[in-house]
Amino acid sequence: MASPAKLAHIVFRTGQVPVMTEWYVRVLEGRVTFSNGFIAFLTYDDEHHRIALVGTGASERPGESHTGLHHAAFTYDTLGDLLGTYRRLKADGVHPFWCINHGPTTSMYFADPDGNHIELQIDNFATEAELDRWFRSGAFADNPIGVEFDPDELVRRFESGEPFAELVKQS
């Protein structure tokens, strides 16, 4: 059996392709690889598109009673990258609605203009073995959601030079 090599892209239905395009380009510091007003392909790396927006005229925002995708997550290489993105977006008036240390990840959740939830995160463990030990410790079973945090406080602690292990520790 062969598993996929990677997740290629996510497609969103929307009634506002230009607005959604601008939001995802800004949030992900991406670029448009194709757009014709009906469909837009966006990327932030060497893939031809990571996000596609299809103009279906959809206007009903997703809600908790709807089935389907809960959120899409994007992982940053470093905590500095994640916090730099947070500061850049905050300066642009784009704020997370939820900041939480899930244990495996430190995550910030945002809502796009259509109400889709997007998670920007970092991995809290350097290796799969460290993560596996943490899962087996029972910590996740005891608290599978995580611990909320104040992103401005995390920025302050990061900039003061606090060690990474302390910054991502659930407390």
Side-chain angles (χ1 to χ4, degrees), residues 91-109:
D92 283 346
V94 178
H95 302 278
F97 65 85
W98 193 33
C99 296
I100 189 157
N101 180 329
H102 287 297
T105 64
T106 295
S107 303
M108 297 181 187
Y109 289 81

Side-chain angles (χ1 to χ4, degrees), residues 41-115:
F41 287 174
L42 317 171
T43 194
Y44 50 82
D45 60 9
D46 59 355
E47 184 73 16
H48 45 82
H49 72 286
R50 292 291 181 188
I51 302 220
L53 305 167
V54 180
T56 62
S59 61
E60 187 176 338
R61 296 174 71 83
E64 291 303 314
S65 64
H66 291 88
T67 61
L69 183 70
H70 184 272
H71 70 274
F74 299 89
T75 302
Y76 286 81
D77 285 333
T78 68
L79 181 57
D81 292 344
L82 177 64
L83 295 178
T85 298
Y86 162 74
R87 291 179 65 180
R88 176 179 57 80
L89 293 175
K90 180 181 174 184
D92 283 346
V94 178
H95 302 278
F97 65 85
W98 193 33
C99 296
I100 189 157
N101 180 329
H102 287 297
T105 64
T106 295
S107 303
M108 297 181 187
Y109 289 81
F110 296 81
D112 74 14
D114 280 351

